[in-house]
Amino acid sequence: MKKSLIVLLVLMLMLTAVPPPAARADGPRTQTIMVYIVGSDLEKDHALATIDIQEMLSSGIDHSQLTVLVMTGGTKAWGNSLIPHDKLSIYKIEGRGPTLLHQEDARSMGEPDTLSFFLQFGVEHHPAESYGLILWDHGGGPMIGFGVDDLHRGDGLTLIELRQAMANSPFVNGTRLEWLAFDACLMASAEVAHTLAPYARYLIASEETLPGNGFNYDFLKEYAASDLSGLSAGQMIIDRTGAYYERLKVDRPDLEFLVTLSLLDLD
C-alpha cells in the first residue's frame, strides 16, 4: 500500500504543470522584428499575406520600442495595389500603410543569400538591443524545409540552406536572435531546433499543420509593451493565435482548425 502511494505521488508530481521561467529582469528595451514573407499561392489565391500585413499595421505598435520590417516576394500576384509581384521589397510597418525602404528586381527567396541580405539590412538600418525573425509561408518540416517561391519554380530553403543563411548573417559568434518563429506548418521538430540553436535563443513553431491565416499579429501591441524577450513573444503569439481560432470556431462551427504551436528554449 505504501509503495502504491509513493508511485501515485510521483505520478502526480510528474503531471503537475511547471510554470514558465520568469522573464529576464535585464531584458532588451528595443527590438527589430524582421518578417520574411514568401507570398506563394497563399497570397495569390487568398491574399493571406496582405491580411497579415494589415493586422500588423492596425495592431497599434509602440514604435519607440519595436520596429517591424517585412520583406515581400515569391508570389505571382498580391492582393493589394501597393506591393509589386515582380520586385523584392522591404517595408517598415508604420502609419496607415507600409513605408518602402528598399526595392530591387525579384530574386529567389529560396536562396540563402536573400534571407541573409534581409537580416543584414535590418541590423544595419534599424539597429536595436535585440532582434526577432518570422519566416512566413508554407513549411514542410525537416525533410523539405521552408518556403515556396512561385516566381522561381517553387524554390524553398532546406535546413542546410537555412543554416547557411544564418551563418552568413549578423547572428553568429554568440550574437543570436532573441527569437525565431515559423508562421508555417510542420517546423517544430528536433532537427529544426538543432539546426537553428546557434542562431536564436527561442523557437516558436507548429508541430502539425497551421491554418492559412497563420499567426494573429494583434500580439504586436501587447508585445511592444513587454520585456521583449523570446519567452514573452512565444507566450503572446501562442495565446493570441489560439484565441483567434477559438473565435473563428464560434463564427464557423462547421470548420475544424488544427492549431498547434510550441515555444522551445534552444538553450
Side-chain angles (χ1 to χ4, degrees), residues 239-251:
D239 289 348
R240 287 296 186 97
T241 300
Y244 170 76
Y245 287 105
E246 287 298 320
R247 291 195 300 271
L248 281 186
K249 283 183 181 179
V250 173
D251 296 335

Side-chain angles (χ1 to χ4, degrees), residues 152-174:
H152 296 87
R153 299 182 179 181
D155 193 17
L157 290 162
T158 65
L159 285 196
I160 292 173
E161 289 174 320
L162 276 172
R163 182 174 61 195
Q164 181 181 338
M166 297 307 302
N168 291 328
S169 79
F171 302 104
V172 292
N173 300 323

